[in-house]
Amino acid sequence: MLKPTILCVDDEKIILECLKRQLKREFGNTYHYEFAENAADALELIDELDATADEEILVIVSDWLMPGKKGDEFLIDVHQRYPKIVKVMLTGQADGDAVERACKQAHLHCCLRKPW
C-alpha cells in the first residue's frame, strides 16, 4: 500500500532537521518523510521511490539557492516527470524571476520565505 511522502530538499542540514521536527510534530506518522541535501540526490530518491511503488510523494519542499541545480530548475524538472506532486519553494534568497518561472513552468503551489 502506498504511504504518502513529504520530501524536503535543502543544502543546510539544520534546516532539514528543523523541518523534520516541525512536520513530525504537526503530522506525526501520517506521512513518511524523506530528506535530500541537493537536487541531484533528491531526483535520485524520487526515482527510487517511484520504482518501488511503496511510497507516493505528495509534496516537495525545496530550497532555492543550493549548489548545483537551483530550486526552481529542480522543481521544473520534477514537474516535467511527475506533474501531480505538489511543489513548494522555501527560501530566503529567491529572486522574483525564479519564483515566477517556477510558478509558470513547475506549477509551484506556493513560495514560503525563510524564516518560516
Side-chain angles (χ1 to χ4, degrees):
M1 184 160 113
L2 293 177
K3 183 162 185 175
T5 300
I6 298 173
L7 170 60
C8 300
V9 186
D10 199 300
D11 61 317
E12 295 183 56
K13 287 184 182 189
I14 192 162
I15 297 294
L16 293 176
E17 285 297 321
C18 188
L19 285 169
K20 182 178 183 178
R21 282 193 310 272
Q22 289 183 338
L23 289 168
K24 284 189 173 194
R25 183 173 56 236
E26 184 67 28
F27 301 115
N29 292 324
T30 303
Y31 301 101
H32 180 76
Y33 308 100
E34 292 286 348
F35 303 91
E37 292 183 26
N38 58 62
D41 289 349
L43 286 170
E44 186 177 314
L45 181 59
I46 292 166
D47 289 340
E48 286 175 16
L49 294 175
D50 185 55
T52 64
D54 289 337
E55 298 178 34
E56 177 184 26
I57 298 177
L58 295 180
V59 178
I60 295 175
V61 179
S62 176
D63 187 18
W64 175 67
L65 187 58
M66 298 183 287
K69 188 176 286 194
K70 288 193 171 49
D72 59 325
E73 298 164 338
F74 162 65
L75 294 175
I76 290 166
D77 287 350
V78 168
H79 182 71
Q80 290 172 350
R81 296 166 60 197
Y82 304 97
K84 293 183 180 182
I85 295 175
V86 175
K87 292 154 290 285
V88 175
M89 194 179 304
L90 175 66
T91 185
Q93 300 182 22
D95 64 17
D97 291 339
V99 174
E100 185 176 334
R101 187 171 40 258
C103 285
K104 288 181 181 178
Q105 296 180 32
H107 294 148
L108 187 69
H109 179 71
C110 67
C111 181
L112 304 173
R113 304 288 177 174
K114 291 179 184 176
W116 65 99

